[in-house]
Amino acid sequence: MGLTKQYLAFKPVANFNIIASGRANVAFVTVGGVDGRYVAVAGAEQVLVWNTRLGEKMLEFVRDKQEVTYLRPSPDQKHLAVGYTDGVIELFSFESKQSVCSFAAHRSAVSAMNFDLIGLKLVSGGLDNDLVVSDVVAQSGKCRLVGHNGAITEARFMERYHDVVVSSSKDTQIKFWNIETQNCFKTIVDHRTEVWGIALMRNDDFLVAGSGDTQLSVYKIAENTSNPVEEPTGDLDNLLLESEATSPFRCTQIGNIQRSGFGRTINLVVENGGQILGCHGTDKKIELFYFYSVDEAIVRLTKRLKKLDAKSKTDDSNTNPNSAERQLSLVDEIKRLPAVAVPEKVKSFDLLLGANDELRMCVTFVKNFIQVFTLNVAEKHAEANAIHTIRQQGHPSEVRSVAFSSDSLAIASGSGESLKLWSRASQSSLRTIETGYVVSTCFVPGDRHVLVGLKTGQLLIVDIVTGEIIERIVAHEKELWSIVLTPDMRGCVTGGGDTTVKFWSFELIADPSRDDKSEVKVLSLLHKNVLKLEETVLCVRISRNSKYIAVALLDSTVKIFFLDTLKFYLSLYGHKLPVLCMDISYDSTIIVTGSADRSIKIWGMDFGDCHRSLIAHDNSVMGLQFIPKTHLFFSCGKDGKVKQWDADSFEKIITLPGHVGEAHGLAVSPNGKFVVSCGSDRTLRLYERTDEPLVLQDVQEEEREELENQTLATGEDSAVPGLPGLKLPSKKTIGSEKGAENILECLEVSKKFEQEDSQNIIPPLMYAYEATNTDDFLLAVLTRIRASDLEEALLLLPFSAVCELLEQIPKLTDARKDQTEIICKVVLFLFRIHQKPIVNNQMLLPVIQEIIGKLQGAIVQLRDMIGVNLHGMQMLQREVEANQGVQLFRDATKSRRQKDMRRKRKEAAAKRTFVQIST
């Protein structure tokens, strides 16, 4: 066997620069029993938990390359539900920092999530127009609610009616669902535009909805005590009366709240107590509304009636107020709190009401920073104050350019506003310099200064020690797209949009900011020469032997000139679209070009011949650079991928986990051990070379398997003959297909094992599951299937396999009483799906009767065991409480704090301000 070339693998080390993604929401979370200090936000495909007081990242939850779209902590603050763009919901534990369970619920991105009052059920809505209710304890879907014609914008459980879900959608409708019957029993169609959010206030007394206008609709929810006696006069009246009779409550609109902000309502957020409502539109303002309790509202009504009576007595011309003015109205129920003015456009926010009526508000902005505000609700003219800001840990906009220092210890990144210096080891921000729109960066030899090219054509010299801009040079009239150092490290070359390439040399001059007698020298650039061209210059590179300079032009060609005389040498043409990036190897024999036509071409520097053309990315190639002293190079493109290539064998070595969105550029460290890339997801991704060798055949096989796993072998639909309207609360995944394969293989191996005369030899597959008999083997296969994939896996089984599985259930029930729950789940699902074929099969009749008898007995035993354990624990609890004089499992301080808060609100009820109401 001949010698093969060995490659070393690059692995992702860290993601930094991102503070909060612009797609998902923000949520207060409890870490270590502390409330109001920690917030959970999305960071591309990660979930980041920030300590707002210290400005530090405390936790990270990672799944895979799917982007996070929604976050919701559980009511007990022990778990965090995270929704992704592929419709999967992961439940992470704060204690173990790992995923507890996973729900493959939706066919597209998750857009809304909420737990019920005690956190046992989770309702989620997606862009696929469906609602899915999941059982958190059973770790499986409960039901799928289908009826909306647009993307779901909000979904909530009602507190007073535990089995009712309220949902809003872009189809302008608000629907009430009963999850037991899985039907919609009430629909509100009052809105003419999309409903962007709903909120249930004050223990489900009010429903507030925000739509495309500047008003919030308020609905009153009351018990349905109506008993219609009159005969309906028409079909419409019949339908209305029937719907009112089946609904457990009445929901009637009682008025509108006029917002002071502009544009549509984007978010409606309720604090945990259900008394304070926050909303924001497209402007830089967050409005807050306080909903009084019933007693406080009656007190306000009494005071208002006294004023009306006094006014009617003094004004003889006016008659007595009508009955509508003497009833409880929105003026008595709602108070407008002071609005919170924010510095930038709001993406999302969350509310938390703490002790002493302190309201905390965490706001995430489109410009990648977080602010925490505090407001005293009890004060009459209180103003919101910003107490914490997390801003310095990231760029406000997308990073366009990155560069490594010569010692590979620092990284410079430039965005639309500023230049940042990062520590490669800790990924922490060292310096931030306000510069302008940066399109190119380059470290000066010595690593004390950075050259920055702006979109305006200016060339900045930045001193990174002091964090100041030493000099601004008007280098080009248009964009300065490229900066490259000369091989002798005594100057640099720039290329810009004004069709010129300019040559500069480094000079030390006296500091102009000091007096003339000072001997302090500062770095400056001296203009040496100009190369005038016909087209816009997009990229410039110089060969290491100081012989050639390559210039990429807008006409899709690369022109090579002699560096000393600037005479034309070669022209590389073959790309269909302009070359956006290129690099020359260390030995000056190969030049590689990346173009907007998605291809990478490898050329020889001697004759300009094209060695190979590679279709490298699915979109434009944005960045390309050689690893020093090798013919290996990295590339990145607008498809978000980062790839490593071999310029000698023309093979792709590996595809690294890239960006969620587009990749704008990359940089390879001078020692060749690190690669950093930047992209539209606002993350800087750092990769490190490991000592793990790569075998190209194995890497290609893994990529091929991953591609095959993305496409389901049995199709996307879960169709069953005879059941066309089947709507399972799950979707078919690779895990469900593999689970069905494992069940079929288990049944086949078990059948052969039982038919053989000598059963002493255990089959290898059974031995791998650590099973010695067929019953343990079957249960091991069933229990290893993920709970959310079990129904889909059973759905894929053919009817012959279903019959074989049912025949093994009686023996399995007797042998394994400890697994009664999963056996019942499998049997009930198979009976529900294959009811008609099972009923028509006479051979299965004795098997079914035996299954029913044995499962009922097993369930009775399980129930008795749980009952004995429960009452035994209750007896022990009573004995401990009697001996020690304490009450277990109760936080007395919490109840006392709640009583104090209610008392203070009643005392401050007379000082509330009015809310502007329009009816």
Side-chain angles (χ1 to χ4, degrees):
M1 180 175 159
L3 292 174
T4 58
K5 195 169 183 178
Q6 189 178 24
Y7 305 101
L8 295 179
F10 278 79
K11 298 293 183 183
V13 177
N15 299 345
F16 53 103
N17 178 65
I18 189 165
I19 299 175
S21 290
R23 183 162 186 178
N25 62 319
V26 60
F28 277 106
V29 294
T30 302
V31 178
V34 179
D35 294 332
R37 184 183 301 179
Y38 302 95
V39 294
V41 296
E45 74 277 11
Q46 296 180 332
V47 178
L48 310 177
V49 178
W50 290 93
N51 185 334
T52 56
R53 177 177 294 181
L54 302 178
E56 295 178 353
K57 196 184 302 180
M58 303 299 298
L59 296 174
E60 288 186 7
F61 299 124
V62 184
R63 174 178 164 245
D64 55 14
K65 288 303 299 178
Q66 298 295 330
E67 186 179 7
V68 177
T69 58
Y70 207 85
L71 303 171
R72 182 65 65 189
S74 61
D76 58 3
Q77 294 291 328
K78 292 183 179 180
H79 298 91
L80 181 68
V82 183
Y84 294 87
T85 52
D86 59 350
V88 174
I89 299 172
E90 291 277 351
L91 206 63
F92 292 97
S93 171
F94 284 107
E95 183 178 356
S96 65
K97 303 178 181 60
Q98 300 293 328
S99 175
V100 178
C101 64
S102 177
F103 304 103
H106 298 276
R107 293 169 178 81
S108 58
V110 178
S111 57
M113 278 192 303
N114 264 298
F115 285 91
D116 66 344
L117 189 60
I118 55 179
L120 299 182
K121 293 191 288 289
L122 174 69
V123 62
S124 60
L127 301 183
D128 56 356
N129 308 347
D130 292 347
L131 292 163
V132 175
V133 179
S134 304
D135 192 332
V136 177
V137 178
Q139 298 185 7
S140 62
K142 187 176 178 66
C143 62
R144 182 180 292 271
L145 307 175
V146 181
H148 280 292
N149 297 321
I152 308 297
T153 56
E154 187 60 272
R156 292 180 178 273
F157 279 100
M158 296 189 72
E159 296 182 6
R160 196 183 304 169
Y161 309 95
H162 302 294
D163 295 331
V164 177
V165 170
V166 190
S167 64
S168 63
S169 170
K170 289 185 180 180
D171 61 0
T172 72
Q173 297 179 358
I174 301 174
K175 288 182 178 289
F176 294 82
W177 308 81
N178 188 325
I179 61 176
E180 293 298 327
T181 61
Q182 301 182 18
N183 287 321
C184 172
F185 61 87
K186 192 175 188 63
T187 304
I188 298 176
V189 292
D190 296 343
H191 299 88
R192 296 185 179 181
T193 57
E194 295 92 343
V195 180
W196 292 101
I198 54 174
L200 293 169
M201 306 300 300
R202 211 179 71 182
N203 194 20
D204 298 343
D205 284 341
F206 297 99
L207 171 69
V208 183
S211 59
D213 52 18
T214 58
Q215 290 184 341
L216 300 178
S217 303
V218 183
Y219 297 85
K220 180 75 172 178
I221 298 176
E223 294 283 346
N224 189 4
T225 57
S226 61
N227 187 15
V229 181
E230 298 181 0
E231 293 292 330
T233 58
D235 294 337
L236 181 60
D237 295 336
N238 193 6
L239 287 173
L240 290 174
L241 289 174
E242 186 178 352
S243 65
E244 287 295 332
T246 56
S247 175
F249 52 81
R250 295 194 313 270
C251 184
T252 55
Q253 185 173 2
I254 58 174
N256 296 320
I257 301 176
Q258 181 64 46
R259 290 177 38 234
S260 60
F262 299 102
R264 68 172 180 88
T265 303
I266 295 180
N267 279 328
L268 288 179
V269 178
V270 187
E271 55 90 17
N272 292 333
Q275 285 193 300
I276 298 178
L277 172 69
C279 71
H280 76 90
T282 56
D283 54 352
K284 300 177 183 179
K285 182 190 296 185
I286 298 177
E287 300 176 67
L288 301 172
F289 302 95
Y290 183 86
F291 282 71
Y292 290 106
S293 64
V294 178
D295 297 337
E296 292 172 339
I298 292 175
V299 171
R300 288 176 58 83
L301 174 63
T302 305
K303 290 184 177 181
R304 185 167 61 86
L305 291 180
K306 288 182 179 179
K307 291 182 179 179
L308 285 175
D309 294 339
K311 185 178 180 181
S312 61
K313 290 180 180 178
T314 56
D315 192 358
D316 298 334
S317 61
N318 289 340
T319 58
N320 292 331
N322 54 24
S323 60
E325 292 181 349
R326 306 190 70 85
Q327 294 179 357
L328 204 62
S329 66
L330 283 184
V331 179
D332 309 314
E333 304 272 8
I334 305 172
K335 177 185 78 167
R336 186 187 296 271
L337 296 176
V340 180
V342 293
E344 294 291 341
K345 189 175 180 182
V346 178
K347 169 56 192 171
S348 175
F349 72 99
D350 196 20
L351 301 176
L352 182 66
L353 187 61
N356 301 323
D357 289 330
E358 181 192 3
L359 180 68
R360 286 213 171 178
M361 180 189 312
C362 181
V363 187
T364 61
F365 298 90
V366 178
K367 287 196 172 182
N368 192 31
F369 70 98
I370 300 173
Q371 266 191 328
V372 178
F373 296 87
T374 181
L375 176 68
N376 194 327
V377 181
E379 291 184 11
K380 188 172 183 180
H381 299 290
E383 292 185 359
N385 299 318
I387 54 175
H388 304 302
T389 302
I390 304 176
R391 185 194 296 265
Q392 296 300 322
Q393 289 83 349
H395 284 281
S397 59
E398 299 175 7
V399 179
R400 293 290 174 175
S401 176
V402 287
F404 264 105
S405 61
S406 61
D407 55 5
S408 304
L409 294 178
I411 300 171
S413 62
S415 68
E417 300 88 4
S418 59
L419 175 79
K420 276 185 177 289
L421 272 298
W422 305 86
S423 168
R424 192 260 306 156
S426 63
Q427 295 92 43
S428 58
S429 177
L430 305 177
R431 291 285 187 275
T432 301
I433 302 101
E434 298 295 330
T435 56
Y437 201 114
V438 180
V439 293
S440 56
T441 52
C442 180
F443 272 91
V444 175
D447 297 334
R448 181 186 171 92
H449 301 85
V450 176
L451 299 178
V452 179
L454 302 184
K455 197 172 183 180
T456 59
Q458 289 184 338
L459 179 60
L460 308 184
I461 304 175
V462 178
D463 189 337
I464 63 176
V465 176
T466 60
E468 296 177 352
I469 299 174
I470 298 176
E471 189 176 1
R472 289 180 179 265
I473 303 171
V474 182
H476 295 270
E477 296 177 0
K478 293 183 180 179
E479 301 88 349
L480 201 159
W481 290 118
S482 182
I483 306 174
V484 61
L485 296 178
T486 56
D488 58 3
M489 299 298 172
R490 294 184 177 180
C492 65
V493 179
T494 60
D498 56 355
T499 72
T500 59
V501 176
K502 294 189 177 182
F503 298 81
W504 311 81
S505 65
F506 297 126
E507 297 286 342
L508 289 175
I509 63 173
D511 192 351
S513 62
R514 299 175 180 264
D515 55 2
D516 296 336
K517 297 180 181 180
S518 175
E519 296 181 356
V520 177
K521 301 288 186 179
V522 295
L523 182 70
S524 181
L525 289 177
L526 181 62
H527 185 211
K528 289 289 188 181
N529 205 349
V530 178
L531 176 61
K532 184 67 177 177
L533 297 160
E534 295 82 11
E535 294 286 344
T536 297
V537 178
L538 298 177
C539 187
V540 177
R541 288 294 179 268
I542 300 176
S543 62
R544 295 286 298 221
N545 57 8
S546 301
K547 193 174 181 181
Y548 306 111
I549 177 171
V551 182
L553 301 177
L554 194 61
D555 60 0
S556 306
T557 63
V558 176
K559 296 188 183 299
I560 302 176
F561 301 87
F562 290 104
L563 184 59
D564 51 358
T565 63
L566 297 184
K567 289 186 178 180
F568 177 74
Y569 171 57
L570 283 176
S571 180
L572 309 179
Y573 54 91
H575 285 289
K576 296 178 181 178
L577 290 173
V579 174
L580 303 177
C581 54
M582 62 181 177
D583 200 11
I584 301 174
S585 63
Y586 73 104
D587 54 5
S588 304
T589 59
I590 298 174
I591 180 172
V592 181
T593 57
S595 169
D597 62 4
R598 305 178 300 164
S599 68
I600 288 177
K601 292 184 185 293
I602 303 171
W603 315 77
M605 287 290 288
D606 295 333
F607 306 102
D609 55 327
C610 182
H611 293 176
R612 187 63 62 93
S613 180
L614 307 169
I615 300 298
H617 292 270
D618 297 332
N619 209 325
S620 302
V621 182
M622 300 298 293
L624 188 149
Q625 189 172 347
F626 273 101
I627 299 177
K629 299 182 181 180
T630 67
H631 280 182
L632 308 178
F633 64 92
F634 281 92
S635 68
C636 66
K638 283 190 175 181
D639 57 355
K641 297 177 181 177
V642 179
K643 298 182 180 182
Q644 186 183 7
W645 305 83
D646 190 340
D648 292 332
S649 62
F650 316 121
E651 288 183 327
K652 184 188 71 175
I653 300 172
I654 193 173
T655 300
L656 297 174
H659 294 266
V660 180
E662 300 179 357
H664 294 323
L666 60 81
V668 181
S669 64
N671 60 10
K673 292 184 179 180
F674 301 95
V675 178
V676 64
S677 64
C678 58
S680 61
D681 56 1
R682 300 189 182 184
T683 59
L684 290 174
R685 297 176 186 263
L686 184 65
Y687 308 93
E688 183 180 5
R689 189 178 66 201
T690 63
D691 295 331
E692 176 188 351
L694 279 180
V695 181
L696 289 185
Q697 289 79 5
D698 295 346
V699 173
Q700 293 169 0
E701 185 64 29
E702 289 177 3
E703 291 181 356
R704 194 178 301 113
E705 288 180 0
E706 184 179 355
L707 186 62
E708 290 176 357
N709 289 341
Q710 292 176 357
T711 58
L712 297 174
T714 56
E716 296 286 342
D717 296 330
S718 302
V720 179
L723 293 174
L726 184 65
K727 294 291 184 183
L728 292 179
S730 59
K731 70 173 183 178
K732 192 186 300 182
T733 61
I734 302 299
S736 58
E737 286 188 342
K738 289 182 178 179
E741 288 181 15
N742 293 338
I743 294 174
L744 292 174
E745 198 170 14
C746 170
L747 294 174
E748 184 180 354
V749 171
S750 300
K751 189 175 182 181
K752 289 182 180 178
F753 179 67
E754 292 175 350
Q755 289 175 354
E756 292 178 354
D757 295 335
S758 60
Q759 296 188 0
N760 296 327
I761 303 175
I762 299 177
L765 187 62
M766 189 182 295
Y767 185 77
Y769 279 91
E770 300 178 355
T772 57
N773 54 60
T774 56
D775 296 333
D776 293 341
F777 184 30
L778 180 58
L779 267 178
V781 171
L782 290 175
T783 51
R784 291 195 183 190
I785 300 174
R786 195 169 60 181
S788 58
D789 291 334
L790 181 60
E791 291 186 353
E792 292 285 348
L794 296 173
L795 200 64
L796 293 171
L797 297 179
F799 186 67
S800 59
V802 172
C803 296
E804 294 180 15
L805 187 59
L806 290 176
E807 289 173 357
Q808 295 194 20
I809 293 297
K811 184 177 64 171
L812 195 64
T813 307
D814 290 336
R816 297 295 299 271
K817 294 291 181 63
D818 57 325
Q819 298 290 341
T820 303
E821 185 179 354
I822 190 171
I823 295 173
C824 290
K825 186 185 294 185
V826 170
V827 170
L828 291 176
F829 182 77
L830 292 178
F831 278 1
R832 182 159 58 94
I833 297 299
H834 302 282
Q835 179 186 5
K836 292 181 180 179
I838 289 175
V839 170
N840 295 329
N841 193 339
Q842 296 296 324
M843 301 293 293
L844 286 177
L845 185 60
V847 177
I848 294 173
Q849 292 176 347
E850 189 177 3
I851 288 174
I852 293 173
K854 292 192 173 182
L855 274 183
Q856 286 179 344
I859 291 173
V860 169
Q861 292 182 10
L862 182 64
R863 183 191 61 192
D864 293 344
M865 180 184 68
I866 293 174
V868 169
N869 292 338
L870 175 64
H871 289 86
M873 294 298 293
Q874 289 178 350
M875 184 186 71
L876 292 176
Q877 178 184 343
R878 286 195 295 270
E879 290 181 357
V880 171
E881 291 175 353
N883 294 334
Q884 299 182 1
V886 296
Q887 189 172 3
L888 296 181
F889 312 118
R890 178 178 175 85
D891 188 358
T893 59
K894 186 175 180 180
S895 61
R896 182 177 180 180
R897 192 184 305 123
Q898 291 176 349
K899 289 181 180 178
D900 292 341
M901 288 172 59
R902 285 195 293 267
R903 179 178 56 80
K904 289 180 180 179
R905 286 173 188 162
K906 288 181 180 179
E907 292 175 356
K911 300 179 181 180
R912 312 293 186 188
T913 56
F914 288 92
V915 67
Q916 297 178 6
I917 306 297
S918 65
T919 57

